[in-house]
């Protein structure tokens, strides 16, 4: 996610005449479907909030996919 956000920021700098809301929508549209849906539900009102949400949601998804190992000895 960090790389994706950095790339988006680089491209975002080049564009001057797009409203913040449109920038947020474009960023959300570039996310993976499962993350995209969750970020969209929170309706972030700034790019920074959208970035934070995307990182948080990705982290939560990764935690659920990596089962913890238990030592039952």
């Amino acid at each position: 996610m960090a790389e994706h956000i950095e790339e988006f920021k680089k491209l975002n700098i080049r564009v001057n005449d797009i409203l913040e809301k449109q920038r947020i929508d474009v960023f959300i549209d570039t996310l993976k479907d499962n993350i995209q849906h969750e970020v969209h539900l929170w309706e972030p009102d700034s790019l920074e909030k959208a970035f934070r949400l995307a990182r948080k949601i990705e982290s939560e998804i990764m935690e659920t996919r990596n089962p913890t190992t238990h030592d039952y000895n």
Side-chain angles (χ1 to χ4, degrees):
M1 183 60 63
E3 287 180 29
H4 182 73
I5 290 171
E6 287 307 312
E7 286 298 315
F8 188 85
K9 285 180 179 180
K10 287 177 188 175
L11 294 172
N12 191 38
I13 292 172
R14 297 180 189 178
V15 181
N16 298 319
D17 56 346
I18 295 180
L19 299 173
E20 179 82 354
K21 175 69 175 133
Q22 292 171 315
R23 293 172 194 264
I24 295 166
D25 289 343
V26 169
F27 172 70
I28 292 172
D29 287 345
T30 66
L31 297 171
K32 293 179 183 176
D33 288 343
N34 54 348
I35 299 172
Q36 182 184 105
H37 177 72
E38 292 290 324
V39 173
H40 185 71
L41 286 175
W42 284 94
E43 298 180 353
D45 58 0
S46 73
L47 263 178
E48 284 305 316
K49 285 182 184 177
F51 295 157
R52 281 194 304 269
L53 279 167
R55 285 187 203 106
K56 180 180 179 193
I57 292 163
E58 181 190 51
S59 177
E60 290 172 354
I61 289 170
M62 296 307 289
E63 285 178 18
T64 61
R65 288 188 180 169
N66 295 330
T68 57
T69 57
H70 297 286
D71 186 7
Y72 292 105
N73 293 334

